[in-house]
Amino acid sequence: MAVAYSIIIPCYNLGQFIPEAIESILAQARDDFEIIVMDDGSTDDTRVITERFSACVRYVYQENAGVARARNEGLELAQGEYVIFLDADDVWLPGFMPTMLEAIKKAPPKVVGVICGWQRMTQEGDPFGNPRIVELEESSWKNLLLGNPVAVDGLIFRKQVLQDIGGFDPNFLGTEDWDLLLRICAAGYSFGCIPTVLVGYRSVPGSMSSSIAKTLTNSIRMLEKHFSAPNFPGDLAGIREQAMAYRHLEAYAGYLYQGLVDEAEQALKTAVEGWPELLRDMRYAYTIITARQPSGYKLSGEYLDLDEVESRGRACYQRYMDTFPEEAKEGLGVFYCALGRT
């Protein structure tokens, strides 16, 4: 039977999780599929573990070159009309394949991919925090320029379009997924969304300040590339300062969560000075409120000290009362509305 869809699993030293990822696919896969494990130079037992599934998995080794190149190599090898990328430490939840395949087959040709919701998991595979449903509006070109809510594991793509636009760009470490989505939009394509959680996204600890700085640098550099592209739409060019401010705002939250107060304050200062309207923005208020909450619990009542949030939040507006008085005064009101205190 001809291969209809290809599942590509990039892996670097995550052999312990590979069986769970593969088994989550086999539990719902049909006869017309292939699984390609792209080993990106692992030094653990990824090869040995993957060989247990040799009857249904194609194992390919490459010298360590990064996840973007691993995915691109898998894309070149894929025989299916549709492709899905599943990170080695993540899993499909029940219903992923029948739901996603039906959706992409019914979608019009200009819809190059279908997005589903995702749920964070502990290293042990237990779900935690709030599930993330991606709304259709969030997948528009404009909103994707302002941030990326999509987990690449929660996407099924038309392979030919990905090949036509050149796959993942390895120059944007940590933001290659986001860059791919923006290039798809720039090529005139769009996405469909399914309001159902169908992917388990494992959170692996160990993110340090250096990764926040690198992600910030790469995301700014990636966005600059898009905003400066020839023939970039004029109606989208106007959100450049907002998009950059959002990146620094996100870095503020990351630094503060790690207790790096000086770095957090500098990121916030850069965000506000680059786009003073940020002070009026609800995202600013919510980020201030949730900055010290763990990922997965944002906007919930858990891990939230309202007195600390109120004190810190007031300071984040008061310091701009002289330089941006109108924005800061109005923004403080937005903050209290978001906080639920008057």
Side-chain angles (χ1 to χ4, degrees):
M1 179 179 291
V3 173
Y5 59 100
S6 304
I7 303 103
I8 300 164
I9 305 178
C11 183
Y12 177 69
N13 288 342
L14 291 171
Q16 61 178 315
F17 299 117
I18 278 278
E20 190 178 357
I22 294 174
E23 287 165 2
S24 76
I25 296 169
L26 297 178
Q28 53 188 291
R30 313 180 318 178
D31 294 333
D32 54 348
F33 78 101
E34 64 175 350
I35 300 174
I36 304 171
V37 171
M38 290 299 310
D39 186 347
D40 185 33
S42 296
T43 56
D44 66 357
D45 52 359
T46 292
R47 180 192 295 269
V48 174
I49 292 174
T50 304
E51 285 176 350
R52 300 178 194 166
F53 302 90
S54 59
C56 55
V57 174
R58 180 179 181 184
Y59 172 85
V60 180
Y61 180 88
Q62 68 174 29
E63 294 297 325
N64 182 249
V67 66
R69 289 191 171 92
R71 287 174 178 158
N72 287 342
E73 180 63 22
L75 184 63
E76 287 302 309
L77 296 173
Q79 301 177 55
E81 180 182 357
Y82 308 105
V83 294
I84 303 145
F85 299 96
L86 179 65
D87 287 349
D89 53 347
D90 298 335
V91 297
W92 286 0
L93 300 180
F96 179 96
M97 179 42 60
T99 304
M100 297 292 275
L101 195 57
E102 179 183 11
I104 192 67
K105 286 184 173 181
K106 288 183 176 180
K110 280 296 184 180
V111 173
V112 70
V114 173
I115 302 165
C116 71
W118 48 279
Q119 171 70 58
R120 285 182 174 85
M121 305 186 307
T122 64
Q123 285 206 82
E124 294 71 34
D126 299 319
F128 74 93
N130 302 318
R132 185 62 165 92
I133 298 294
V134 181
E135 303 292 342
L136 184 60
E137 183 180 1
E138 293 181 280
S139 71
S140 71
W141 193 2
K142 176 181 178 179
N143 284 322
L144 283 173
L145 285 164
L146 297 176
N148 178 26
V150 180
V152 73
D153 293 342
L155 263 162
I156 183 169
F157 293 99
R158 300 186 195 276
K159 182 185 70 175
Q160 188 59 54
V161 175
L162 292 194
Q163 291 179 323
D164 290 345
I165 67 171
F168 295 87
D169 189 338
N171 293 309
F172 297 112
L173 181 64
T175 58
E176 58 275 301
D177 300 355
W178 189 7
D179 172 69
L180 178 74
L181 301 181
L182 290 175
R183 285 190 287 117
I184 287 171
C185 292
Y189 296 99
S190 62
F191 301 97
C193 293
I194 296 174
T196 306
V197 174
L198 296 172
V199 167
Y201 176 82
R202 186 174 265 109
S203 293
V204 178
S207 296
M208 300 303 291
S209 61
S210 59
S211 67
I212 296 175
K214 288 177 182 178
T215 299
L216 175 61
T217 298
N218 283 334
S219 62
I220 293 292
R221 188 165 58 89
M222 183 269 295
L223 287 171
E224 289 284 12
K225 180 194 78 168
H226 285 276
F227 279 108
S228 62
N231 302 317
F232 188 77
D235 60 326
L236 294 179
I239 65 169
R240 179 189 174 280
E241 291 180 351
Q242 181 182 3
M244 302 303 175
Y246 281 178
R247 294 307 94 224
H248 290 282
L249 182 64
E250 185 174 283
Y252 158 80
Y255 284 131
L256 193 66
Y257 181 71
Q258 293 184 4
L260 302 170
V261 177
D262 290 343
E263 290 87 345
E265 293 299 329
Q266 181 57 53
L268 196 67
K269 182 174 183 289
T270 302
V272 172
E273 292 182 353
W275 188 57
E277 279 295 316
L278 182 65
L279 291 163
R280 290 190 174 110
D281 196 313
M282 184 63 79
R283 186 179 296 200
Y284 183 83
Y286 276 130
T287 301
I288 298 299
I289 292 170
T290 64
R292 285 200 160 114
Q293 287 181 298
S295 295
Y297 294 96
K298 304 293 185 182
L299 302 183
S300 74
E302 299 183 69
Y303 305 100
L304 197 63
D305 181 340
L306 292 178
D307 291 334
E308 184 277 332
V309 169
E310 182 175 11
S311 175
R312 176 167 48 82
R314 282 189 64 86
C316 290
Y317 290 91
Q318 293 286 358
R319 73 187 59 166
Y320 297 108
M321 286 295 182
D322 291 334
T323 49
F324 307 113
E326 293 183 8
E327 293 89 343
K329 183 177 180 180
E330 184 176 332
L332 187 58
V334 172
F335 169 76
Y336 274 105
C337 286
L339 189 62
R341 292 185 171 185
T342 57

